[in-house]
Amino acid sequence: MKIRSAAVLGAGVMGAQIAAHLANAGVPVLLLDVTRDAAADGLKRARTLKPDPFFTPDAATLIRTGSFDEDLAAIRDADWILEAVIERLDVKQALLARVDQHRGADAIVSSNTSGIPIASIAAGRSDAFRRHWLGTHFFNPPRYLRLLELIPTADTAPAVLETIARFADVRLGKGIVIAKDTPNFIGNRIGLFGVMQVFRALESGELTIEEIDAITGPAIGRPKSATFRTMDIAGVDVLAHVARNLAEQVDPAERAAFRLPAFVEQMVARGMTGAKAGRGFYKKEGDQILTLDPVTLEYRERRPAKFPSLDAARSIESTGERIAALVKGKDKVGAFLRETLVPTLEYAARIAPEIAYSTDDIDHAMRWGFGWELGPFETLRALGSETATVTVPPSETVAVTVPETATVTVLKGARVVKKNAGASLVDLGDGVLGVEFHSKMNAIGGDTIQMLLAGVKEASANFAALVVGNDATNFSVGANVMLLLLEAQEGNWDEVDLMVRAFQSATMALKYADVPVVVAPAGLTLGGGCEIALQGARVQAAAETYMGLVEVGVGLIPAGGGTKEMLARAVEHLPPGADLLPHVQRVFETIGFAKVSTSGPDALRIGYLRDGDQLTMNRDRLLADAKAHALGLSRGGYKPDQPRHAIRVGGEGVYAALKLGVHLASRAGRISDHDALIGRKLAWILSGGNIKAAGTLTEQQLLDLEREAFLSLCGERKTLERIAHTLKTGKPLRN
C-alpha cells in the first residue's frame, strides 16, 4: 500500500497544519471543510502562523481546498483520508458515513481525535471500512512536534498500520508510538495528570507561577516554556476541554484526579485562554510580562524565582542525576517535585499496561510529544525506583510490530578510530568513515579542525567515503569565537591568521578529498558549520535544518571558504557576457543580512544547498541516509572536483554598485557605521578585490581576500564588542 495523495477533512488549526506537513513531504492534499470559504480561510490562516507550518511558501501550492457538500466525491482519489473535524462523536460519525460512500476501496481512513475512542467513531461502518480504519493523533504543531500516536482497533488490518507507520516515519519524519484505544491515549493521559498535580500545588499557595516554571523547565529536562508558558501557548481552553473529556471517560475512581480547579474554569469563562487571547497565566503589557495571581485572577509584576538548589544543579550535566538531586532536596524544590513529579511517574507506571504496548513507547511519547529529555520510566530508573521495571504484556489482538520504525543510528556501538576533545573519527561500517563533533554546541575549534583533516587523510587511505555529522540536536553553531576573542584582545594576529588558514585548509580538504564527502547537517548549522556543509561533495540535510552564514552578527565575514563558495556557485553556470551584478547582489544580501534557512528546502531556495543534495525528514535516519548517499557516490565511480582556477568576478563596476547600496542603507539609518564597514569589506571580496575590470580569480585568491578581510575586522573595537556581547547574551549587538 502506498500513500501518494491525501485528503484532510476539517481545515481548523490542526487539520490545516496536518495538510501543510503532508505538502512539506511532497504529497498533494485535498483540504475540505463545511464550505469552500471555510477551507480556503483555514489554509490562509495556516500560511500566517508562526512558527510556519510550511517548509517553504511554495509547499502550499500542493493543497487545494473544497467543501464537504460540493467536493467530497473527490476523496475517491486519495490514498489516505484523515478526519480532523470538531471533537464530537456524532459529527465525526455522520461525516464518516458520507466518506464511506466515496472513498476508494483501498483508501486508509483515520481520525486525528485527541481522545474519543477510535472504535466508537467507526461503529456501524462496513467491515472493509473498519479494516482500513485507525487513529492518527498528531501533536500541535504537527511540523515541529515529532510524536504521532497510532491507535489501531481490533479490526485494523496489519498492512494498514504498517503502511501509515512507515510513511509517517520516513516521509513525515514522525516518531511513531502505537497506543491502545483508551481515553486520551498515552501522551495526553500522562501529561494531563502531571498538569493536575501542578495545579494542586499552585492552589496550596506554597509556590508562585514563576517559581513553578523555574522548577519545571530545563532544570528537570523539560522545555524552556516549562508548565504555565506551555499552557498559554497550547490554550487554556483547549486544556480545559481535554481535561473534561478525559474525566468523563476514565474509570470513576480516577475522575477526581482530572477535575479542573475552580480558578482554571474561571479563567476560561473570562476569556483568559492564553497567548491567542493575549492573557493567560502570563500577560504581556507593553514591554513588560505580568504574572497571574491565581487567587484574585489579577495580574502583577513578575517576581524572580530564587532557589539555591536550582543554581547548584546547573553544574550537573546528566539530566537523570540532576533530577535525582533535586527530588532528594530538603527545600521547596524537592518538596514540590515529590508532590508532583513523583506521583506522575508512578501514575505512568500504574496505567502502562492499560494504555501502551511497551514502556519504551511511553518514554518516547513524552519525549517526542512534550519535549521531556527523559521519559517516565527513564526518570524512574534515574531515581532508583523499582517501579521502573513494570512489564507490559504483549497484545493478543493487535499487530504492534512495525518494521523499521525504531530509531535508526549508525553511531551507536561504532568503532572509534581516533578521538580528541572536539571530535572523533568513527568507523560507520561498509567502508564509510565518520567525523563526529562532540564539543559544546559542536562549536568548531582547533580540535575539530585537526580531526577534519585527519578524517580526510584516513578516509582517503582506508575507506570508500567520509560522512561528517553527529546525533546532537544541532550540527554546529559555528566557530569557537571565545578563542578568537581572547587572541584578538591580546593582539596575537599571527595566531588569528593561523586559525583562519587552518580552517580554510580543512574545508578545502573536504572539498577536494579523493573520496566523496557527505555532510549531514541538522538543527542549527551556522557560520563555520554552514561553511563545512558548503564544501562537501554532497549534503544530506535534515528537513529541520537552520543553515546560515551569520558571521556579520559578530562583526565578521565568512572566512572558511563560505564567501568564496557562495560567489562561485552564483556565477559558475552563467553564459559568457552575462551581467554578474544581480547574481553577486543576491550573495551579498544572503551573507550581509545573515540569512538563515527556515528548513532544509528553504536552504535550497537560498542557495546553501544545491541540486544533488538530499533531505531526510526523520532526524533519526539522517546519518544512515548520509552513509547510503556517500556509498552511492563511491560505487558510482566518484571523481573529485578539481580546484577552480577561474571564478568570475565583476571588478570595480560591481564593487561600486554594492558599495552604493551600503551607502544608501547607511544614509537611511537602516544599518550602523560598523555594519557599513563590514558591508564594504564583503563587497570588496565579492567583486574581486583590487581587480579593475571584470575578470577571474582562483579559489586561493578569493580565500586570501576572505582571510584579509576577517583579520582586519578582528582589529576593530566594535567587532570585539559584538563578539563579547553575543557570548554573554546569545544575541547579536548592532553597534
Side-chain angles (χ1 to χ4, degrees), residues 314-615:
R314 289 194 185 98
S315 62
I316 305 175
E317 282 194 29
S318 164
T319 302
E321 293 176 8
R322 188 167 61 250
I323 294 173
L326 291 171
V327 168
K328 294 172 184 174
K330 304 300 183 184
D331 62 345
K332 283 187 175 182
V333 173
F336 170 81
L337 291 175
R338 289 190 294 274
E339 292 170 9
T340 59
L341 174 62
V342 172
T344 302
L345 302 177
E346 291 173 343
Y347 178 73
R350 187 166 66 252
I351 66 168
E354 174 192 342
I355 65 174
Y357 294 103
S358 79
T359 55
D360 284 345
D361 282 344
I362 292 175
D363 281 343
H364 288 149
M366 303 314 293
R367 283 164 45 200
W368 293 336
F370 291 82
W372 294 18
E373 288 182 28
L374 297 178
F377 289 91
E378 292 167 321
T379 307
L380 284 167
R381 285 192 285 274
L383 296 178
S385 171
E386 294 181 4
T387 314
T389 60
V390 166
T391 58
V392 176
S395 167
E396 297 179 359
T397 58
V398 177
V400 296
T401 302
V402 180
E404 299 184 58
T405 58
T407 298
V408 177
T409 176
V410 295
L411 285 175
K412 189 175 181 180
R415 178 177 67 91
V416 177
V417 177
K418 193 173 184 180
K419 182 177 183 178
N420 64 23
S424 299
L425 301 186
V426 183
D427 185 348
L428 303 180
D430 302 312
V432 179
L433 182 68
V435 179
E436 177 192 6
F437 301 163
H438 45 65
S439 58
K440 185 175 181 180
M441 295 292 286
N442 289 328
I444 300 163
D447 289 338
T448 312
I449 292 170
Q450 179 187 359
M451 208 53 63
L452 286 169
L453 290 166
V456 171
K457 183 178 179 180
E458 178 67 22
S460 297
N462 299 308
F463 290 83
L466 179 66
V467 167
V468 182
N470 53 70
D471 270 343
T473 302
N474 299 309
F475 176 75
S476 173
V477 295
N480 187 336
V481 290
M482 173 61 83
L483 297 177
L484 175 65
L485 178 64
L486 293 175
E487 296 292 356
Q489 286 176 331
E490 294 296 322
N492 296 332
W493 304 119
D494 287 344
E495 286 299 319
V496 175
D497 183 62
L498 286 172
M499 289 166 64
V500 180
R501 288 178 185 272
F503 189 38
Q504 289 182 342
S505 295
T507 57
M508 291 304 98
L510 293 173
K511 186 170 185 62
Y512 297 115
D514 293 336
V515 298
V517 176
V518 173
V519 184
L524 295 178
T525 304
L526 305 177
C530 181
E531 290 184 288
I532 288 171
L534 287 171
Q535 308 303 338
R538 292 290 187 274
V539 174
Q540 184 77 40
E544 297 295 347
T545 297
Y546 316 117
M547 181 181 290
L549 296 169
V550 297
E551 285 83 352
V552 296
V554 289
L556 299 167
I557 55 96
T563 304
K564 174 271 302 178
E565 187 63 24
M566 292 295 285
L567 173 64
R569 291 185 183 187
V571 302
E572 63 186 346
H573 296 304
L574 296 179
D579 183 5
L580 299 184
L581 180 59
H583 305 280
V584 176
Q585 178 79 34
R586 280 197 290 272
V587 174
F588 178 80
E589 291 174 357
T590 296
I591 298 174
F593 293 136
K595 291 183 180 179
V596 177
S597 72
T598 57
S599 65
D602 192 48
L604 179 63
R605 180 190 65 81
I606 293 172
Y608 295 135
L609 301 181
R610 56 192 164 165
D611 291 342
D613 293 336
Q614 297 179 4
L615 295 173

Side-chain angles (χ1 to χ4, degrees), residues 220-296:
I220 60 169
R222 305 287 173 82
K224 289 181 180 178
S225 53
T227 298
F228 294 105
R229 176 62 182 143
T230 297
M231 283 191 271
D232 276 353
I233 295 169
V236 182
D237 54 336
V238 174
L239 170 80
H241 174 78
V242 174
R244 294 188 200 105
N245 179 62
L246 182 56
E248 290 174 2
Q249 295 186 63
V250 295
D251 186 278
E254 273 193 58
R255 285 177 186 165
F258 295 101
R259 189 171 297 121
L260 285 165
F263 77 87
V264 177
E265 296 280 17
Q266 291 169 15
M267 287 176 68
V268 175
R270 296 186 186 186
M272 303 162 68
T273 55
K276 61 189 173 187
R279 55 184 189 145
F281 291 102
Y282 294 104
K283 175 184 177 182
K284 188 170 184 180
E285 203 167 82
D287 295 332
Q288 192 177 17
I289 303 293
L290 304 178
T291 305
L292 181 74
D293 182 328
V295 176
T296 64

Side-chain angles (χ1 to χ4, degrees), residues 85-101:
V85 297
I86 189 171
E87 288 285 84
R88 279 180 46 186
L89 179 60
D90 59 336
V91 173
K92 292 179 185 291
Q93 288 179 329
L95 179 59
L96 290 183
R98 299 172 64 188
V99 168
D100 207 0
Q101 299 172 17

